Amino acid sequence: MEFISSADIRELSNPGVVSRQLLNPENSSSERVTITEVHLEVGASQPRHTHDASEQIWYATKGTGKLLLADDKTMEFKAGDVVRFADKDVHGLLNDGDTEFVYVSVTAPPINFGYAYKDKK
């Protein structure tokens, strides 16, 4: 068994975005998944990007936003929805709603996301 205390949950941030690293290579010996809780302020976004060798599943828990997909396509993403991105799928998110947007992300195999954020706590 592995227990992760709240004190061991690191927060990474960019302007308008906070990513709580619930389970990652820095606080867990798991070699299968990374789990993050991501908070986006109104108007904030995560730009389109890909992961070469990991898939991601996002579960929206609060708010309404737009998935930013390949070829400049978008799709509504709201609390209760789940989306899966295969390796190399283009994905991002814009919070175009009127409240904070929150989702939980499961990434397999795990990724240490520190490279993508300016501030690390």
Side-chain angles (χ1 to χ4, degrees):
M1 183 190 110
E2 196 171 56
F3 175 83
I4 299 168
S5 144
S6 60
D8 293 325
I9 296 174
R10 187 175 185 196
E11 288 189 357
L12 306 174
S13 62
N14 283 329
V17 180
V18 174
S19 180
R20 299 185 69 238
Q21 304 297 293
L22 304 179
L23 185 139
N24 71 31
E26 293 183 1
N27 69 4
S28 171
S29 60
S30 175
E31 296 179 3
R32 297 186 184 204
V33 297
T34 296
I35 302 174
T36 58
E37 178 186 80
V38 183
H39 298 249
L40 285 87
E41 295 175 3
V42 173
S45 70
Q46 294 178 299
R48 287 175 173 89
H49 62 282
T50 63
H51 302 290
D52 288 337
S54 291
E55 70 175 318
Q56 282 191 322
I57 295 112
W58 290 0
Y59 170 55
T61 61
K62 180 181 179 185
T64 300
K66 289 268 190 302
L67 294 171
L68 305 176
L69 306 171
D71 302 320
D72 288 326
K73 292 182 182 174
T74 64
M75 175 183 267
E76 183 179 6
F77 188 46
K78 63 185 183 324
D81 291 344
V82 176
V83 63
R84 177 188 168 270
F85 303 105
D87 303 15
K88 300 181 180 141
D89 278 353
V90 174
H91 60 285
L93 184 69
L94 168 65
N95 180 356
D96 64 350
D98 57 6
T99 186
E100 176 185 50
F101 188 93
V102 180
Y103 71 92
V104 174
S105 173
V106 177
T107 306
I111 295 176
N112 184 332
F113 290 106
Y115 73 90
Y117 291 87
K118 288 185 194 178
D119 298 318
K120 300 158 180 66
K121 297 179 195 171

